[in-house]
Amino acid sequence: MWDSLYPYFLWIENTRLGHGIRESKWTFTLSEVVHLLGLTVLLGTMLLLALRLFGFVLQKKSVASIAHELKPLSIGALGVTLLTGTLLFTSEATKCWGNIAFRYKMLFLFLALLFQFTGLQKVARAEDRRFSPLTRKVTAFVAVFLWFGVAVAGRAIAFF
Ligand code: HEM
């Protein structure tokens, strides 16, 4: 199935945008810097919410109020990271096609986004006594594991 996708990756890489990023001195570098900034804010807001769900920080504030306050920042950072990631990908799509780390990254990204907007959102929005402390800790652990999986696979792309 993956092999049949190669012509599409080649087409993406040969778009004017792909050529433009590849031929520009600075666009790839600047996109990767903004990609790193975006994922730092994204993983930072994730970690803060997880530490609250574990009961380590901000215990005077309810989980729901912290999740509500962090949401614009994490959604904004997610948008920036997805946009810059797509730019980076467009410039080297066939390299990503042949890169096992990229495949794992897209799998982790799919699972992280799915869990973010289902399990984590449900537990984070609920009033504090609705879910047991164990359920909240497991939810936090799964969310952090999936998002750091994206980051580790993203870093690994350069080594495979
Ligand atoms: C939203 C969650 C994402 C996270 C946490 C993330 C994380 C990372 C990390 C840690 C790196 C390594 C940066 C470095 O080595 O300097 C990276 C690079 C990269 N990411 Fe992402 N990324 C995300 C989304 C995406 C998306 C959606 C795509 C493409 C569709 C993408 C494509 C890339 C590419 C092509 C690179 C450069 C790899 C290279 O040539 O070294 N990323 N990402």
Side-chain angles (χ1 to χ4, degrees), residues 1-10 12 89 92-107:
M1 201 298 272
W2 187 257
D3 290 353
S4 66
L5 293 177
Y6 184 76
Y8 302 103
F9 280 59
L10 188 61
I12 290 168
F89 166 73
E92 54 178 25
T94 56
K95 170 188 154 183
C96 293
W97 178 84
N99 192 305
I100 188 70
F102 179 79
R103 287 191 224 180
Y104 279 109
K105 181 178 181 174
M106 291 301 114
L107 176 65

Side-chain angles (χ1 to χ4, degrees), residues 28 32 35-36 39 42-43 78 81-82 85-86 88-89 92 95-96 102 105-106 109 147 150-152 154-155 157-158:
F28 188 96
E32 189 143 37
H35 196 58
L36 282 172
L39 72 96
L42 175 66
L43 298 180
L78 178 62
T81 313
L82 292 177
T86 307
L88 297 170
F89 166 73
E92 54 178 25
K95 170 188 154 183
C96 293
F102 179 79
K105 181 178 181 174
M106 291 301 114
L109 183 60
W147 279 115
V150 181
V152 170
R155 180 60 247 181
I157 292 174

Side-chain angles (χ1 to χ4, degrees), residues 7 16 25 44-45 51 82 88-89 100 111 126 135 142 145 150 153:
R16 278 174 60 188
K25 255 217 187 87
T45 54
L51 290 172
L82 292 177
L88 297 170
F89 166 73
I100 188 70
L111 295 173
T135 306
V142 172
F145 173 77
V150 181

Side-chain angles (χ1 to χ4, degrees), residues 31-140:
S31 304
E32 189 143 37
V33 168
V34 178
H35 196 58
L36 282 172
L37 285 174
L39 72 96
T40 306
V41 175
L42 175 66
L43 298 180
T45 54
M46 273 310 316
L47 213 50
L48 199 56
L49 185 59
L51 290 172
R52 175 62 188 84
L53 281 166
F54 275 115
F56 292 156
V57 298
L58 302 170
Q59 291 167 31
K60 291 201 181 74
K61 297 192 85 172
S62 73
V63 171
S65 67
I66 292 169
H68 180 71
E69 283 180 45
L70 289 174
K71 191 165 184 182
L73 206 55
S74 54
I75 296 292
L78 178 62
V80 166
T81 313
L82 292 177
L83 177 68
T84 49
T86 307
L87 292 178
L88 297 170
F89 166 73
T90 307
S91 73
E92 54 178 25
T94 56
K95 170 188 154 183
C96 293
W97 178 84
N99 192 305
I100 188 70
F102 179 79
R103 287 191 224 180
Y104 279 109
K105 181 178 181 174
M106 291 301 114
L107 176 65
F108 269 104
L109 183 60
F110 171 73
L111 295 173
L113 287 171
L114 188 67
F115 191 72
Q116 176 94 12
F117 295 108
T118 54
L120 179 68
Q121 189 158 280
K122 195 171 175 191
V123 171
R125 280 194 180 162
E127 52 81 29
D128 277 6
R129 297 204 189 296
R130 171 119 179 256
F131 292 99
S132 72
L134 180 63
T135 306
R136 288 161 30 124
K137 287 177 181 156
V138 170
T139 304

